[in-house]
Amino acid sequence: MAEPSRAGLPASLAAQVTAFAGRLRQRHGFLIGPGEVRDALRALDLVDVLSRRELRGALRAVLTAGPEQGRTFDLEFNAFFRAADQPPPTLPPLLPETPAPAEPDPDGKEQEQPDREPGDPETRPEPAPSTPQAGSDPGSDLPDGDALQDGQESQDGDEQDAPVMQARVSPNAAPGEALRVDSGDLGSLLRAATGLIRALELGRARRLRPLPRGSKLDARRTLHAAARTAGDAVHLRWLGRPRRAPRFLLVLDGSRSMGRDATLLLRFAQALHLRSRRVEVYAFSTGLTRLTPLIRGAAPGQPLTLPDLGDAWGGGTRIGENLLKLARDERGRVNRDTVVLILSDGLDTGDPALVGRALRDLRRRSAGVVWLSPLAATPGYRPVQRAVAAALPHLDALLPAGGPDDLHALGRRLRAARLTRGAFLAAPSPGP
Amino acid sequence: MIPAVQELQAAFQARGYVADDALATALRLVVGLGKPLLLEGPAGVGKTEAAKTLADVLGTRLIRLQCYEGLDAQSALYEWNYARQLLHLRAAELRGEAAGDDDLYGETFLMPRPLLQAIREPRSAVLLIDEIDRADDAFEAFLLELLAEWQITVPELGTLAAVSRPHVILTSNRSRELSDALRRRCLYHWTEYPSRAQELHIVLSRLPGINETLARQVTDAVHALRALPLGKTPGVAETLDWASALVSLHADHLDAESLHATLGAVLKLREDQLLAAPTLQGVAAKAQARG
């Protein structure tokens, strides 16, 4: 299958590609091993390496594994393999010479994000996160050069390129901050997650599957078994409808108003993920971000550390827009086995009509939509927030989530309320 | 002889499929490196069509495995013809002969399913494993062995190595997260909706008799629709269906009447039709003003 190597390849190209792959692995955590590097080098034999587009396409096909990685790849490729007629990346004037850090701003981000720990070195700015602005196509912002620069300069200038990358990759112009969430109560939250999973019964699947006991004879397997007994169907095999295991879609409001409740619910999302692989987690503030890969990669028992989530954490609240974006863009992740959990206080600055529209769509396609609100745990709570009021007709339950006790009671409350279409709207907790 | 990227692109274009540089390069590597390609993207952007076109370009057979929840290895690999086996047993019994395993589990009674067909093809086929995200984790894990070793094990026959390595294309709509193990075994390409110019090119290629003005108006309208928060965003197939419906009504440009009559070809949800009404009125008014 392999083709003979072409003559005339730039002598240092293999070394450059190896260095580039290492850079993607070290800076952005791409899963690139020796096999991928070997394939990347083999791919060079199959494309015109003097065509920038072909080289980029080949390396992207081999070295990336998802659309998020694709965007990061393009930025790094453009920084690493600069066209000969392109000037090296320039930094904003004075940035490297900034004489001293600015005075701490009392109204700055530290106050906007109360869960961060200012004194903790772990919460210092992280390298460029791999969550660039959606829709941008940085891969096309440089011309298709006919020749590649040697690339050595790029390797030497890694540190110089880094701030440029930071500024281009991050949704925020300024370097973002990591989010560090302590996981001291993980054991307790795991019990709550187990309770929730056990409490949900979604009925039986429609498709028949082989089961030890079932409602229908499995003719194919019975005949197969009969072949071993000279054609006599001694051992009957059955088909039945297995129970539908729930999937979870958690949509977490990470806006300022959620305060510490947001981190509690984030830990709960991590616990739920540890108990079931069928969990998707999103966070939103003014923008929406998928957290599932970050939570999946977190070590259990260790503090949950997330990179700067940009406009998905610690800002204002746009519930309707983000739920609508979720319902539209992540449509495939919601099916009749999916229980949608929206974790929000409902304090919104957006259009509440969008909330109703998004929830109507989500509810139609899911097993049920449950809204968990920290405010609902307060005595005398009434669901009068505009977003909550707009959502109410489309919810299967509105339940309190004011602390660990509410999360422990979640499964019990859902079971008591019987998660069936339109059958319940659980009353908020009367409070302590 | 494996076509170069530009030749592949031209061959696709000749068949009405506009493949951008990145997709053409990825397909070139599928053939050249012998690695599977994972094609992801929204529904309706032409992922399945890319595999069909590749088979056509290479002049080889397309073997398609449509994935679904509950798909098991047996259904995808092979099946024994149990009814014939039982008849064979009875006949042997009547003749006073003993039927051994060699008689029962041979080619006569083997019914190959897509995966077995693909590795037994004398000439490399294009194996399309469509919507892998619909299959269960267990089936995905089962595929790993096939995609890595290019061999499968039939308990009664032993291990069967591929006669020729198929060109494998897996598609996914991202309804489920695929494992890192599967991703690492594949090349990867994310497919987006085509640009306006590309989509116009597709329409003109696929529907040679269409009026160019109409094709342009349809393409513009579809792109305006895709900017709306629709429940079901129209794909390229819907664009072609819509244009085809208009051609069949002998329309040479979009107007309010033809748009109303053919709206169901492009918007499949009542809510989407209501949401898009103002946009489409604007499209029709603009088209009439130009006409």
Side-chain angles (χ1 to χ4, degrees):
Chain A
M1 198 64 78
E3 287 190 335
S5 294
R6 294 182 200 176
L9 286 180
S12 60
L13 190 54
Q16 287 180 52
V17 168
T18 306
F20 178 60
R23 180 160 156 161
L24 291 175
R25 180 177 60 238
Q26 287 156 14
R27 284 191 171 191
H28 304 287
F30 281 30
L31 290 173
I32 295 174
E36 282 74 20
V37 175
R38 184 199 61 206
D39 287 339
L41 295 175
R42 285 175 62 206
L44 299 183
D45 285 339
L46 300 169
V47 298
D48 179 4
V49 293
L50 298 181
S51 162
R52 185 181 178 82
R53 289 178 188 276
E54 285 193 26
L55 180 67
R56 183 169 58 203
L59 293 182
R60 181 161 46 183
V62 174
L63 299 178
T64 66
E68 301 85 4
Q69 288 189 348
R71 288 187 281 269
T72 305
F73 173 91
D74 284 338
L75 289 167
E76 283 286 8
F77 183 90
N78 286 339
F80 193 90
F81 295 103
R82 289 196 298 274
D85 56 347
Q86 286 291 313
T90 53
L91 297 176
L94 300 181
L95 185 61
E97 291 83 21
T98 303
E103 288 295 320
D105 182 357
D107 300 325
K109 256 194 163 178
E110 295 298 334
Q111 285 194 353
E112 291 177 2
Q113 299 174 1
D115 294 302
R116 291 178 183 162
E117 298 172 28
D120 192 331
E122 296 279 339
T123 62
R124 293 299 93 203
E126 288 280 328
S130 54
T131 51
Q133 280 180 324
S136 65
D137 183 14
S140 60
D141 58 1
L142 284 179
D144 183 15
D146 288 329
L148 297 169
Q149 206 174 4
D150 186 78
Q152 196 61 43
E153 190 184 341
S154 293
Q155 294 173 51
D156 296 340
D158 281 356
E159 287 78 12
Q160 195 184 24
D161 290 346
V164 178
M165 292 297 303
Q166 171 80 31
R168 294 185 64 184
V169 175
S170 171
N172 298 326
E177 292 186 26
L179 175 68
R180 190 168 182 269
V181 181
D182 186 33
S183 63
D185 53 356
L186 183 63
S188 166
L189 292 175
L190 282 172
R191 285 193 294 280
T194 305
L196 173 62
I197 292 168
R198 287 186 179 160
L200 287 174
E201 289 189 3
L202 302 181
R204 300 274 178 179
R206 277 179 292 193
R207 185 176 294 281
L208 290 167
R209 301 191 72 168
L211 289 178
R213 280 178 292 180
S215 56
K216 190 177 175 187
L217 192 68
D218 185 346
R220 192 175 75 170
R221 288 171 62 237
T222 301
L223 284 173
H224 194 191
R228 297 179 181 177
T229 52
D232 290 330
V234 177
H235 304 291
L236 300 182
R237 301 285 190 262
W238 298 95
L239 293 170
R241 300 180 197 281
R243 287 189 185 282
R244 289 160 54 203
R247 294 174 182 269
F248 293 94
L249 179 73
L250 276 74
V251 195
L252 173 58
D253 181 349
S255 63
R256 275 194 302 273
S257 65
M258 286 286 286
R260 291 200 174 274
D261 293 317
T263 51
L264 170 69
L265 295 171
L266 189 57
R267 292 199 302 275
F268 179 64
Q270 185 191 16
L272 195 59
H273 180 268
L274 289 170
R275 282 287 176 261
S276 168
R277 292 286 290 176
R278 297 151 69 97
V279 176
E280 284 288 341
V281 185
Y282 290 81
F284 71 87
S285 176
T286 52
L288 180 76
T289 288
R290 180 165 173 256
L291 298 186
T292 313
L294 299 171
I295 288 180
R296 184 168 294 158
Q302 299 296 315
L304 177 64
T305 305
L306 305 179
D308 171 29
L309 297 179
D311 58 1
W313 199 268
T317 320
R318 297 245 172 217
I319 301 178
E321 285 174 25
N322 288 301
L323 288 181
L324 204 57
K325 180 174 167 54
L326 181 83
R328 180 188 177 192
D329 296 350
E330 308 295 333
R331 190 176 182 80
R333 300 193 194 276
V334 184
N335 62 27
R336 57 190 290 272
D337 295 338
T338 309
V339 176
V340 181
L341 295 174
I342 296 165
L343 318 170
S344 170
D345 54 14
L347 301 176
D348 191 13
T349 56
D351 181 0
L354 297 179
V355 178
R357 178 142 189 266
L359 287 182
R360 187 169 61 233
D361 190 20
L362 285 172
R363 189 176 182 232
R364 184 180 296 157
R365 287 186 282 121
S366 66
V369 180
V370 178
W371 189 302
L372 302 177
S373 169
L375 296 182
T378 54
Y381 169 76
R382 290 171 61 81
V384 292
Q385 298 88 350
R386 291 188 313 159
V388 179
L392 271 178
H394 311 292
L395 295 180
D396 291 291
L398 171 62
L399 295 174
D405 291 345
D406 285 330
L407 296 178
H408 277 282
L410 187 57
R412 195 175 66 246
R413 283 173 173 152
L414 285 176
R415 183 185 280 274
R418 296 167 64 85
L419 186 60
T420 52
R421 279 291 146 82
F424 77 105
L425 192 68
S429 163
Chain B
M1 182 65 187
I2 306 170
V5 173
Q6 288 183 347
E7 293 167 4
L8 200 62
Q9 222 168 353
F12 267 62
Q13 197 151 321
R15 288 161 177 80
Y17 192 103
V18 181
D20 60 19
D21 294 326
L23 176 59
T25 306
L27 292 171
R28 168 76 179 90
L29 296 186
V30 170
V31 181
L33 291 182
K35 288 196 75 169
L37 171 66
L38 174 60
L39 265 182
E40 281 194 321
V45 294
K47 302 185 291 293
T48 303
E49 200 61 29
K52 290 182 184 173
T53 311
L54 180 66
D56 193 25
V57 167
L58 297 177
T60 189
R61 188 179 165 202
L62 175 79
I63 298 173
R64 178 175 178 168
L65 172 66
Q66 175 64 51
C67 297
Y68 53 86
E69 195 176 343
L71 173 66
D72 56 5
Q74 189 100 5
S75 310
L77 261 182
Y78 70 96
E79 187 59 284
W80 294 104
N81 190 336
Y82 303 116
R84 287 189 68 183
Q85 282 178 323
L86 287 176
L87 286 173
H88 181 76
L89 273 174
R90 292 292 190 198
E93 195 179 347
L94 286 175
R95 289 196 301 268
E97 299 169 359
D101 275 2
D102 289 347
D103 297 327
L104 280 179
Y105 297 107
E107 286 293 330
T108 318
F109 303 109
L110 184 65
M111 297 190 296
R113 300 287 192 226
L115 296 184
L116 186 55
Q117 285 171 15
I119 69 164
R120 294 174 81 189
E121 277 286 306
R123 183 169 174 222
S124 295
V126 172
L127 172 62
L128 169 62
I129 302 178
D130 215 4
E131 300 190 277
I132 179 64
D133 50 326
R134 286 178 180 260
D136 303 327
D137 295 345
F139 183 75
E140 189 186 318
F142 158 76
L143 275 184
L144 297 179
E145 184 192 354
L146 174 72
L147 298 181
E149 309 296 334
W150 302 103
Q151 64 182 30
I152 54 175
T153 303
V154 177
E156 298 87 353
L157 298 180
T159 301
L160 304 174
V163 176
S164 60
R165 191 178 289 190
H167 311 302
V168 183
I169 295 180
L170 302 100
T171 71
S172 164
N173 293 329
R174 301 193 88 203
S175 64
R176 177 175 68 80
E177 194 62 30
L178 302 175
S179 70
D180 287 339
L182 183 76
R183 288 181 182 276
R184 288 196 68 181
R185 278 165 178 76
C186 297
L187 303 168
Y188 181 81
H189 181 74
W190 171 261
T191 314
E192 257 304 345
Y193 291 113
S195 68
R196 202 177 293 247
Q198 283 176 326
E199 195 151 10
L200 176 62
H201 195 142
I202 293 169
V203 172
L204 292 172
S205 305
R206 290 294 178 95
L207 303 169
I210 193 171
N211 180 300
E212 188 168 340
T213 305
L214 177 64
R216 197 175 296 278
Q217 288 173 345
V218 166
T219 308
D220 288 349
V222 168
H223 276 255
L225 290 174
R226 285 194 191 130
L228 298 174
L230 299 176
K232 189 180 178 316
T233 308
V236 179
E238 278 79 24
T239 308
L240 291 170
D241 284 349
W242 193 19
S244 184
L246 289 162
V247 168
S248 68
L249 293 176
H250 306 293
D252 55 4
H253 69 281
L254 261 184
D255 55 27
E257 193 181 345
S258 61
L259 202 156
H260 181 73
T262 56
L263 191 55
V266 67
L267 294 177
K268 310 294 176 72
L269 295 174
R270 177 67 182 147
E271 279 192 348
D272 285 353
Q273 291 183 350
L274 293 174
L275 178 76
T279 303
L280 290 172
Q281 280 170 6
V283 167
K286 201 171 161 185
Q288 274 181 328
R290 282 186 182 170

